[in-house]
């Protein structure tokens, strides 16, 4: 085995390594393992070999316990104790494996075969002798006591044994707790010992030992926080102790913890002043853990309401900690879920009780909104320019989290929150004395947008004022411009009910469309307005189409924004009279058709392929939303067409007119690109989107499309053709006039697919089954 281990650690040849590893894995589970384990631990071996010996012991004890005869338990235990004593001043990694092996033995023998296991461990290590110094023995004992609960958490004990052993360990806490306390309180205990004590406590509290019993130890953890060497481990121990599910039963202990947490405020303020982010983070974690896990219990202790309010204010200080997240601080983001929890608890009391709590906590939540909007502010342009792209992305996500929190808080504060934001914004924009920073304006608007995006603000009386303020904003910056756009977008439904206000915001949106930096915000806002307000937009249609055409020709926007823009135009055109739709479609699409004709003549290559897919994509996005039937699914939410609904105009649907005009051109494109699945998919998408929107109005296209699909599929079968066939079967199955060509197509597709299937290509058959089900 020495050779195999040598190969595993030192042989550069990977195959020898793999062979050695395989051999060693088998060796560990062989009956001979007992003999060679002890031999490998002998002092003349290198640590890697000793480590393997200790690991093999652990494997035997934890996984093959039933192989060990009962009469050997005692000698195995004694040998492990003496090995741990030997290694207490030797290799740390070997010592840990030996401790884990003894822990596993203890878990397998508690409580019957080895009653009082932990007490015995403590006794054995406290006895003098063996020539090992006291400090090394003490650290070895602490290592053993730390790995015991950890080994229990990962052990493979059967369920009934787990319950027994957990009970036995719970009773053994009585032997562990005084030892840990004694070591922490001794002034001469070395730092390394104290750090190990804290780790040991963390390990035991995860077993849910009663908080009332570890109260004194948790108190000592607070005393360890001023020591920089112990700070992290002490925080971990406190957080683990107070976040155990069982801890909420110990109300008196929790009440004693509140003043201890409040006493950390001095250390927290100093850390803030010294820019010590780690200490801020740790203290904040403690305060938030107490508040988040126990707000219900602490709220219910009405006599102590002032100390809980002080804890809430301490968490508020952590939320508003100075500096910009994530560059100067990383603490504030830890606090956001606390505010959700506290609000949920307050709102879950019955109304009389709730009213009392709201009197205290509504002002706190108004203050929270101010703090969050302050934290959401962008830094100065110069500072922001120095941030890395990763920092900017973290800041963006942080702002989304703030936005979600504001939306949630709105449920508690209601309309008063909007009035409050509106007053602040009004004062900011009308105060000629003081110049305002764009960051301040942007953050207030961002607050509005966060709420208006998801909450129906139709009843709010401040929105007209807000829309009146928007044109007064001096938009001199991309972030501010983006937020103005998104705010207008969030108010699209409100604008549908107050169309008279469109004239004051639409020019801003159309102007922004020409700026590539505002691509996402301006296009998505225009799309929302065209979707929600289409019946009020005909007076503006010429202008909207003209600006959109101009930005499309100048290629200001990336592909996906061009697609959204086409969807916006589809919504817009839907509300116009048919002759206007046709006229606009003609001017909008003609340049693209001419480009496509040119591309269709060229020999296929990668760059003209992208151009073709782009043009086909523009058409299918336009046809996705261009729907002249007034049976609008929107009519539910107040954007219904005027009541005097006219019957659908006679003559073919404008989309069908266009499709018939370009059909031959599309066939030409297909004939050249038939073996390219992406182009075929883009062609099918045009018809698929049109069928979905037009439904039965698509009828005039059915026979020529069925014929084209049949030819396509017979030449080179592609999945997208099957999807389109399925869509047509689905919509026209009950229409006797139009079904024959589809039926013929279906039969053709089936026979082609079956022949593919006989050649053993089965991925298409699933698609066919789907069509059959339709």
């Amino acid at each position: 085995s020495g050779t195999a281990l040598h190969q595993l650690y030192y042989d550069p040849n990977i195959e020898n390594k793999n062979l050695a590893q395989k051999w060693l894995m088998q060796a560990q589970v062989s009956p001979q393992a007992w003999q060679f384990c002890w031999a490998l631990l002998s002092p003349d071996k290198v640590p890697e070999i000793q480590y393997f010996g200790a690991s093999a012991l652990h494997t035997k004890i934890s996984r093959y316990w039933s192989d060990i005869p009962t009469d050997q338990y005692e000698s195995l235990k004694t040998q492990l104790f003496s090995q741990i004593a030997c290694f207490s001043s030797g290799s740390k990694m070997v010592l840990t494996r030996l401790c884990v092996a003894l822990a596993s033995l203890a878990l397998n023998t508690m409580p019957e075969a080895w009653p009082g296991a932990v007490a015995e461990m403590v006794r054995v290590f406290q006895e003098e002798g063996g020539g090992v110094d006291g400090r090394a023995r003490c650290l070895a004992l602490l290592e053993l006591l730390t790995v015991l609960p950890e080994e229990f958490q990962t052990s493979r004990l059967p369920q009934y044994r787990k319950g027994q052993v957990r009970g036995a360990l719970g009773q053994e806490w009585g032997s562990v707790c005084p030892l840990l306390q004694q070591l922490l309180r001794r002034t001469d205990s070395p730092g390394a010992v104290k750090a190990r004590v804290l780790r040991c406590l963390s390990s035991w509290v995860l077993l849910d030992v009663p908080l009332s019993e570890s109260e004194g130890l948790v108190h000592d953890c607070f005393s360890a926080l001023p020591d920089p060497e112990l700070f992290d481990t002490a925080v971990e121990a406190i957080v683990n102790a107070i976040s155990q599910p069982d801890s909420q039963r110990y109300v008196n202990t929790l009440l004693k913890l509140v003043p201890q947490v409040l006493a950390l405020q001095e250390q927290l303020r100093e850390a803030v002043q010294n820019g010590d982010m780690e200490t801020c983070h740790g203290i904040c974690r403690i305060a938030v853990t107490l508040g988040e896990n126990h707000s219900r219990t602490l709220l219910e202790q009405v006599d102590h309401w002032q100390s809980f309010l002080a804890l809430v204010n301490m968490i508020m200080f952590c939320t508003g900690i100075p500096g910009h997240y994530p560059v100067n601080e990383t603490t504030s983001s830890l606090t956001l879920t606390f505010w959700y929890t506290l609000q949920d608890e307050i709102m879950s009391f019955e109304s009389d009780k709730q009213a009392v709590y709201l009197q205290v906590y509504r002002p706190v939540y108004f203050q929270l909104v101010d703090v969050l909007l302050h934290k959401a502010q962008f830094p100065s342009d110069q500072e922001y320019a120095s941030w890395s792209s990763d920092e900017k992305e973290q800041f963006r996500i942080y702002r989304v989290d703030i936005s979600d929190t504001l939306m949630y808080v709105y449920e508690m504060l209601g309309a008063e929150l909007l009035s409050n934001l509106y007053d602040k914004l009004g004062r900011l924009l009308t105060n000629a004395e003081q110049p305002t920073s764009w960051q301040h304006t942007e953050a207030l608007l961002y607050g509005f947008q966060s709420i208006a995006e998801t909450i129906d603000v139709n009843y709010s009386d401040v929105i007209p004022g807000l829309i009146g303020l928007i044109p007064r904003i001096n938009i001199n910056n991309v972030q501010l411009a983006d937020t103005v756009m998104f705010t207008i977008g969030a108010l699209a439904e409100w604008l549908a009910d107050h169309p008279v206000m469109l004239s004051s915001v639409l020019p801003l949106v159309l102007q922004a469309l020409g700026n590539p930096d505002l691509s996402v915000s301006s296009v998505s806002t225009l799309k929302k307005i065209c979707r929600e307000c289409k019946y009020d937009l005909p007076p503006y249609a010429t202008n909207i189409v003209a600006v959109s055409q101009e930005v499309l020709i100048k290629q200001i926007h990336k592909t996906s924004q061009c697609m959204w823009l086409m969807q916006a135009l589809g919504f817009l055109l839907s509300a116009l009279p048919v002759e206007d739709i046709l006229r606009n479609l003609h001017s909008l699409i003609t340049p693209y058709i001419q480009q496509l004709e040119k591309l269709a003549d060229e020999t296929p290559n990668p760059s003209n392929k992208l151009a073709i897919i782009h043009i086909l994509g523009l058409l299918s996005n336009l046809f996705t939303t261009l729907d002249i039937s007034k049976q609008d699914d929107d009519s539910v939410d107040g954007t219904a067409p005027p009541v005097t609904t006219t019957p659908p105009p006679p003559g073919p649907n404008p989309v069908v007119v266009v499709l018939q005009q370009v059909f031959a051109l599309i066939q030409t494109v297909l004939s050249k690109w038939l073996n390219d699945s992406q182009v075929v998919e883009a062609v099918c998408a045009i018809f698929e989107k049109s069928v979905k929107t037009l439904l039965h109005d698509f009828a005039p296209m059915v026979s020529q499309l069925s014929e084209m699909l049949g030819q396509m599929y017979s030449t080179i079968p592609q999945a997208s053709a099957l999807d389109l066939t399925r869509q047509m079967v689905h919509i026209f199955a009950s229409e006797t006039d139009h079904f024959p060509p589809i039926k013929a197509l279906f039969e053709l597709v089936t026979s082609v697919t079956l022949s593919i299937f006989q050649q053993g290509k089965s991925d298409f058959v699933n698609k066919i089954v789907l069509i059959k089900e339709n």
Side-chain angles (χ1 to χ4, degrees):
S1 68
T3 328
L5 276 162
H6 193 278
Q7 282 181 325
L8 179 64
Y9 287 113
Y10 305 112
D11 192 325
N13 182 332
I14 193 80
E15 276 171 24
N16 291 351
K17 267 192 202 297
N18 291 343
L19 273 171
Q21 184 153 13
K22 202 168 165 188
W23 185 88
L24 291 165
M25 293 303 285
Q26 287 164 342
Q28 276 192 18
V29 303
S30 70
Q32 292 78 34
W34 289 119
Q35 282 73 48
F36 75 68
C37 285
W38 303 111
L40 294 178
L41 284 165
S42 73
D44 58 340
K45 299 278 191 276
V46 294
E48 287 85 354
I49 288 181
Q50 296 170 329
Y51 178 82
F52 179 75
S55 289
L57 276 171
H58 174 240
T59 304
K60 291 298 272 185
I61 294 170
S62 59
R63 298 193 193 172
Y64 302 97
W65 179 250
S66 51
D67 298 353
I68 304 172
T70 351
D71 57 359
Q72 285 186 23
Y73 291 175
E74 222 22 67
S75 68
L76 182 56
K77 185 166 90 187
T78 314
Q79 275 180 291
L80 278 168
F81 268 128
S82 73
Q83 287 290 349
I84 290 174
C86 291
F87 277 95
S88 62
S89 43
S91 160
K92 170 82 171 74
M93 64 174 184
V94 182
L95 174 67
T96 301
R97 291 321 287 166
L98 288 168
C99 288
V100 173
L102 182 57
S104 185
L105 181 133
L107 296 174
N108 277 304
T109 49
M110 294 167 85
E112 302 84 2
W114 189 2
V118 176
E120 186 179 333
M121 291 171 183
V122 173
R123 200 180 56 251
V124 169
F125 280 94
Q126 281 183 330
E127 286 166 2
E128 295 295 327
V132 179
D133 78 343
R135 179 182 163 189
R137 272 208 321 280
C138 178
L139 286 170
L141 172 60
L142 287 170
E143 183 64 24
L144 179 56
L145 294 177
T146 304
V147 298
L148 187 62
E150 290 169 357
E151 180 66 7
F152 172 74
Q153 307 285 6
T154 57
S155 66
R156 305 171 173 219
L157 295 170
Q159 213 45 51
Y160 76 95
R161 278 284 296 147
K162 272 218 147 154
Q164 277 178 339
V165 175
R166 183 186 275 277
L169 284 169
Q171 286 172 327
E172 298 275 13
W173 177 236
S175 312
V176 180
C177 190
L179 170 77
L180 297 183
Q181 246 177 326
Q182 183 197 343
L183 288 170
L184 263 188
R185 289 179 182 179
R186 278 177 58 171
T187 43
D188 61 342
S189 287
V193 170
K194 288 186 173 178
R196 197 64 60 83
V197 167
L198 294 168
R199 264 192 49 219
C200 188
L201 171 62
S202 268
S203 181
W204 278 83
V205 294
L206 295 175
L207 291 174
D208 249 353
V209 294
L211 187 62
S212 54
E213 288 176 27
S214 48
E215 185 184 302
L217 257 175
V218 173
H219 183 85
D220 295 336
C221 291
F222 276 93
S223 313
L225 288 170
D227 182 340
E229 272 183 80
L230 301 178
F231 182 80
D232 290 343
T233 13
V235 169
E236 216 50 54
I238 294 168
V239 165
N240 286 339
I242 53 186
S243 52
Q244 280 316 301
D246 188 48
S247 56
Q248 53 205 22
R249 294 182 10 217
Y250 304 101
V251 180
N252 289 331
T253 306
L254 291 171
L255 285 172
K256 287 182 206 163
L257 282 171
V258 177
Q260 289 186 283
V261 175
L262 293 175
L264 299 172
Q265 291 181 96
E266 195 42 52
Q267 192 182 352
L268 176 61
R269 287 206 181 85
E270 272 176 32
V272 169
Q273 274 169 351
N274 303 331
D276 174 356
M277 281 159 75
E278 281 69 28
T279 303
C280 295
H281 204 268
I283 293 176
C284 172
R285 266 185 75 198
I286 294 173
V288 167
T289 305
L290 184 59
E292 217 170 288
N293 288 285
H294 304 293
S295 48
R296 177 100 198 172
T297 312
L298 294 171
L299 278 167
E300 283 174 336
Q301 307 310 307
V302 186
D303 300 343
H304 299 270
W305 70 273
Q306 281 164 308
S307 69
F308 182 58
L309 180 59
L311 177 69
V312 172
N313 283 323
M314 178 177 176
I315 295 173
M316 179 79 78
F317 175 79
C318 295
T319 305
I321 210 152
H324 286 288
Y325 180 94
V327 178
N328 326 102
E329 62 93 5
T330 53
T331 299
S332 56
S333 59
L334 300 178
T335 64
L336 297 180
T337 46
F338 164 74
W339 299 109
Y340 285 77
T341 309
L342 179 61
Q343 180 176 327
D344 285 344
E345 298 302 359
I346 291 171
M347 302 308 274
S348 69
F349 288 115
E350 64 280 8
S351 57
D352 301 352
K353 228 174 168 185
Q354 190 182 312
V356 178
Y357 284 113
L358 283 175
Q359 258 186 316
V360 177
Y361 285 101
R362 266 178 74 90
V364 173
Y365 272 83
F366 273 113
Q367 188 195 344
L368 173 68
V369 172
D370 289 346
V371 168
L372 289 175
L373 290 177
H374 181 71
K375 293 296 289 181
Q377 283 189 30
F378 278 88
S380 71
D381 296 333
Q382 193 182 355
E383 197 181 330
Y384 189 65
S386 73
W387 285 13
S388 70
S389 57
D390 186 43
E391 287 165 339
K392 288 178 179 171
E393 177 58 11
Q394 281 183 45
F395 181 59
R396 186 191 68 76
I397 294 167
Y398 173 69
R399 280 175 44 107
V400 171
D401 293 341
I402 286 180
S403 172
D404 292 344
T405 312
L406 289 171
M407 195 175 78
Y408 203 75
V409 167
Y410 179 83
E411 291 176 26
M412 180 153 134
L413 301 181
E416 198 185 329
L417 171 55
L418 288 177
S419 318
N420 185 300
L421 290 174
Y422 172 64
D423 292 341
K424 287 199 172 78
L425 190 64
R427 282 202 299 278
L428 202 64
L429 294 174
T430 51
N431 182 350
E433 313 295 288
Q434 262 180 315
T436 53
S437 71
W438 70 262
Q439 286 89 342
H440 200 159
T441 310
E442 190 279 333
L444 285 170
L445 273 180
Y446 184 69
F448 255 112
Q449 175 209 324
S450 303
I451 294 161
E453 224 160 17
T454 40
I455 285 158
D456 177 15
V457 291
N458 262 354
Y459 61 85
S460 165
D461 51 0
V462 302
I463 306 297
L466 171 68
I467 293 209
L469 283 176
I470 286 178
R472 301 184 65 136
I473 297 172
N474 172 22
I475 303 179
N476 50 3
N477 165 285
V478 171
Q479 281 92 6
L480 175 58
D482 257 335
T483 303
V484 169
M485 280 306 115
F486 285 126
T487 306
I488 296 172
L491 296 172
E493 285 181 41
W494 184 90
L495 286 166
D497 288 343
H498 307 83
V500 67
M501 302 301 268
L502 276 167
S503 59
S504 59
V505 291
L506 204 52
L508 287 175
V509 179
L510 294 179
Q511 189 188 349
L513 271 185
N515 183 344
D517 292 332
L518 307 180
S519 181
V520 173
S521 59
S522 61
V523 175
S524 66
T525 295
L526 182 65
K527 183 178 155 183
K528 281 181 181 169
I529 290 177
C530 290
R531 185 181 66 215
E532 301 300 333
C533 313
K534 59 182 173 194
Y535 299 109
D536 304 298
L537 289 177
Y540 309 98
T542 317
N543 199 4
I544 296 174
V545 173
V547 173
S548 302
Q549 268 187 289
E550 187 185 344
V551 300
L552 284 166
I553 289 165
K554 286 186 180 165
Q555 297 183 336
I556 284 174
H557 301 286
K558 293 202 168 81
T559 302
S560 50
Q561 277 69 53
C562 294
M563 302 305 158
W564 295 354
L565 189 49
M566 280 303 206
Q567 289 179 20
L569 294 171
F571 286 125
L572 173 75
L573 298 181
S574 305
L576 301 180
V578 173
E579 58 276 18
D580 290 354
I581 298 179
L582 285 167
R583 196 182 66 249
N584 278 297
L585 278 178
H586 181 72
S587 72
L588 195 60
I589 293 175
T590 306
Y592 292 110
I593 301 304
Q594 289 167 348
Q595 257 177 294
L596 195 58
E597 282 169 343
K598 219 160 73 204
L599 291 164
D601 281 346
E602 295 174 11
T603 318
N605 69 53
S607 75
N608 59 23
K609 168 180 161 172
L610 284 178
I612 287 173
I613 290 177
H614 181 74
I615 292 172
L616 296 172
L618 291 173
L619 294 177
S620 46
N621 277 282
L622 178 61
F623 298 156
T624 303
T625 54
L626 208 173
D627 183 9
I628 57 169
S629 69
K630 300 277 187 187
Q631 286 66 43
D632 230 75
D633 46 270
D634 295 342
S635 53
V636 192
D637 63 21
T639 57
V643 182
T644 55
T645 304
T646 45
N653 185 294
V655 173
V656 172
V657 174
V658 174
L659 285 175
Q660 283 173 330
Q661 286 168 358
V662 299
F663 198 78
L665 173 58
I666 287 177
Q667 277 181 305
T668 314
V669 171
L670 258 185
S671 63
K672 282 209 173 167
W673 290 90
L674 199 49
N675 57 359
D676 187 302
S677 63
Q678 288 170 304
V679 175
V680 172
E681 207 172 304
V683 166
C684 291
I686 291 184
F687 295 107
E688 199 177 341
K689 305 277 198 225
S690 309
V691 173
K692 272 185 184 164
T693 311
L694 301 184
L695 301 172
H696 304 287
D697 282 355
F698 189 77
M701 295 297 300
V702 166
S703 66
Q704 54 193 132
L705 183 57
S706 301
E707 188 185 344
M708 181 176 96
L709 275 175
Q711 290 166 351
M712 265 168 70
Y713 198 74
S714 318
T715 321
I716 299 178
Q718 306 224 15
S720 46
L722 281 179
D723 288 327
L724 180 49
T725 306
R726 172 174 156 214
Q727 201 69 44
M728 289 181 27
V729 170
H730 184 65
I731 289 168
F732 291 102
S734 54
E735 300 205 7
T736 39
D737 299 357
H738 302 297
F739 200 60
I742 298 178
K743 183 168 177 255
L745 169 63
F746 181 61
E747 286 161 0
L748 173 71
V749 163
T750 309
S751 71
V752 171
T753 307
L754 285 175
S755 67
I756 296 172
F757 191 45
Q758 281 150 2
Q759 299 158 22
K761 296 181 187 148
S762 65
D763 45 343
F764 280 98
V765 173
N766 304 336
K767 296 264 183 186
I768 281 289
V769 172
L770 277 173
I771 297 178
K772 272 251 162 75
E773 286 168 0
N774 266 323

